[in-house]
Amino acid sequence: MIGLRSQTNTYLNINLNKIIENYKIVKKQLRKDCEIAAVIKANAYGLGQKQIVNTLNKHGCYKFCVSNIDEALQVDQELKKALYIMHGINSSEMAEICIRYDFIPMLNHLGQIEVWNRACKKIGKKLKAVIQIDTGMGRFGLSESEIKKVLKNTNLISNIHIDYLMSHMSCAEQAGHPLTSLQLNEFKRYIDLFPKIKATFANSAGIFLGHEFQFDMVRPGCALYGINPISSDNPMQNVVELYGYIVQKRIIEKEQFIGYRAQYKAAKGEKLLIIECGYADGYVRALSNKGICYAEGYFLPVVGIVSMDVVIVNASILPEAIFNEITHIEMLGNHITIDDVAQYANTISYEILTTKFGNRCKRFYIDD
Amino acid sequence: MIGLRSQTNTYLNINLNKIIENYKIVKKQLRKDCEIAAVIKANAYGLGQKQIVNTLNKHGCYKFCVSNIDEALQVDQELKKALYIMHGINSSEMAEICIRYDFIPMLNHLGQIEVWNRACKKIGKKLKAVIQIDTGMGRFGLSESEIKKVLKNTNLISNIHIDYLMSHMSCAEQAGHPLTSLQLNEFKRYIDLFPKIKATFANSAGIFLGHEFQFDMVRPGCALYGINPISSDNPMQNVVELYGYIVQKRIIEKEQFIGYRAQYKAAKGEKLLIIECGYADGYVRALSNKGICYAEGYFLPVVGIVSMDVVIVNASILPEAIFNEITHIEMLGNHITIDDVAQYANTISYEILTTKFGNRCKRFYIDD
């Protein structure tokens, strides 16, 4: 099998070259002068923040988004020109950390604006922050009445250098969703209220909706990691390959139940592979009796309930020679994509990647 | 709020005292002279292998089970008298590591028996191994015909010191499941074929089925970590508490959709809390519009789709003073148990614990 890198282990390949290809694909979509702040929260969607930041940085990406201060402190500070704290700051202690490390908080409600304005006043410097406005996501961001308060009483933001106005899209990957244009129009309405301030709106899916959605900076996350950001064919390159190690091969001697709770009955003669990769490895339990793996041109269904440490696949379709010689199967890669696995598990690719995916197995970073 | 340990973070309390209480509860169930090998695979079900091993060790537990050699090498070797490798060994290299570190492999098929027998012969010592027999789980273990081969040709095991005969139960936690007694009878039949060899059969659920299932050693996992091992009221103590940090409070100004894909519509006046804990923190996406959290005597439903880094709960029921002052909510603990969360998410508690649960947040080990 091509790419075999570990004889007796399940292993994960993370292809940093593909991350760069994806970065370039995203870049090609952009209007002139539109900047990129790569989203590297959740340990870069589970793939390794240090490696991803380092790689992107070498290819001209210097702006990054993380969830909170804890994540920001884990980033190599030498490699960033801007590090955005998406969940913002709720205390003067948090503001002081941002000031010390030159982090740029996203301010999501009046309380956060007050904290930053006060902290900036205290040190006598107008420091950068992003102001997030809720345009329909209903999660972070100032409400309409909060924006009105800010506009009425500019003292509230008098010590803040507004780096960007920001909003976040809720349904951008669903083609033609009515909320998308509603959010865009709302956002434009707010932008007009803050003349000469730059704006950032699009996540990965938003970027692919075209120049109108991109404004001055975009915030790609999933697309960099190979997740399909649109509702048609995936324009991104696959980044991850998970090869499951076969711990045991079985040929069923008489009809019997397989796995916990007896949720699959194997027939006499059925060939099974016991793979060292279970839900504790991120091969989620929802894949029980639903996942599909791949080996040497054949697709192999998961049978029975996924265990904590192993999953069982039916390999009856494999020719005998292959069955006897094979040591690993593809659980995710170029034949079984991350989006396929998410679909089998009735979730989204983001959750597959970030849910401890490959945390316990060997990881190999491919970087030519 | 009692137990508040982190002002501006989501945090996880892991109560090592409760682990010991659970260990004692398990011990009380046991027949005389029955030993315990605690299952600490998957980083002790996500709770921290080092801390759990250290704690159990101090209270007289010296035998542990892990999945594979990688996990075994992470255990402090000073603290174990026996460390069982449940997935066994498939190569002479793996056998050599077991010999060097005094690991005891579980041998799950003839190939593994051959590897161990050869390795022992090579060094001229009969070393301990466990032989696993499949009695109905259909996963690891020798089949009936393989057992017959071993019995017919004892040369196959002539260099092996069989520490235990072992089998694993598939439906033990489901009261009265017909496979349970079938497996027990099968196992007894095999035991009779190996006179004077000790036996181990029961996982946590099996232990609570009574002395008949316990034989010479039991292998508790979930029960130690507070997961209910039986189908009636949980006899175990809760070990984990997850307190979600409130990043933002919102009072909805006009009816609007909340979260990705617009899967919840909030009414005017609805009070929402945005909690810094999403599926990348192990608060799985299946909890979207289904999870329930708790604060100060009130139960708060999750609304909308769980995001990667946050979840939103409806806190309209909270009295104003509590809504204004509260900084954290219980996402899991003494009011919302691990088994509750698993039920809301349509999975099992094991998956909740091991799926990156609390990996990103602050962890506090409580040990009086």
Side-chain angles (χ1 to χ4, degrees), chain A residues 122-145:
Chain A
K122 195 175 161 192
I123 62 160
K125 280 186 194 166
K126 270 183 113 166
L127 294 176
K128 281 182 186 173
V130 173
I131 290 184
Q132 177 160 196
I133 299 165
D134 179 25
T135 56
M137 175 75 178
R139 193 178 58 168
F140 294 119
L142 277 75
S143 66
E144 176 142 28
S145 78

Side-chain angles (χ1 to χ4, degrees), chain B residues 112-292:
Chain B
Q112 295 194 336
I113 286 179
E114 195 200 334
V115 166
W116 193 241
N117 198 52
R118 198 178 340 113
C120 291
K121 190 177 179 184
K122 197 175 160 191
I123 62 159
K125 280 186 194 166
K126 272 183 112 167
L127 294 176
K128 281 182 186 174
V130 173
I131 290 184
Q132 178 161 193
I133 298 165
D134 178 26
T135 57
M137 176 75 178
R139 193 178 59 167
F140 294 119
L142 277 75
S143 66
E144 176 141 30
S145 78
E146 287 186 303
I147 288 289
K148 280 183 183 160
K149 272 187 199 156
V150 167
L151 289 167
K152 213 170 180 178
N153 182 2
T154 51
N155 274 343
L156 293 170
I157 53 169
S158 57
N159 299 289
I160 298 174
H161 171 182
I162 303 176
D163 194 17
Y164 291 93
L165 270 194
M166 183 253 196
S167 194
H168 191 65
M169 306 177 73
S170 65
C171 304
E173 81 286 4
Q174 296 172 280
H177 196 291
L179 251 184
T180 299
S181 53
L182 280 175
Q183 282 198 275
L184 180 64
N185 291 338
E186 277 287 277
F187 191 52
K188 284 181 179 168
R189 190 164 66 82
Y190 287 119
I191 289 174
D192 290 343
L193 301 174
F194 289 84
K196 291 188 192 164
I197 306 256
K198 289 183 293 181
T200 174
F201 187 55
N203 55 5
S204 292
I207 291 166
F208 283 85
L209 292 176
H211 287 186
E212 194 188 9
F213 289 80
Q214 296 168 358
F215 299 94
D216 302 294
M217 184 172 79
V218 294
R219 309 182 309 274
C222 75
L224 298 177
Y225 310 115
I227 293 174
N228 191 354
I230 60 175
S231 51
S232 49
D233 283 353
N234 192 355
M236 314 315 298
Q237 296 284 313
N238 179 46
V239 170
V240 288
E241 297 169 311
L242 179 66
Y243 290 103
Y245 170 60
I246 301 165
V247 195
Q248 179 162 359
K249 296 172 183 178
R250 300 180 69 96
I251 299 172
I252 296 301
E253 293 174 1
K254 60 180 181 190
E255 184 182 82
Q256 74 166 104
F257 287 110
I258 301 296
Y260 283 114
R261 300 192 176 194
Q263 294 298 301
Y264 178 77
K265 198 175 231 179
K268 185 179 168 180
E270 207 164 300
K271 293 175 181 170
L272 303 181
L273 301 174
I274 322 294
I275 312 296
E276 192 168 82
C277 185
Y279 56 75
D281 303 283
Y283 202 76
V284 298
R285 195 164 168 277
L287 292 163
S288 298
N289 274 322
K290 289 194 177 147
I292 298 173

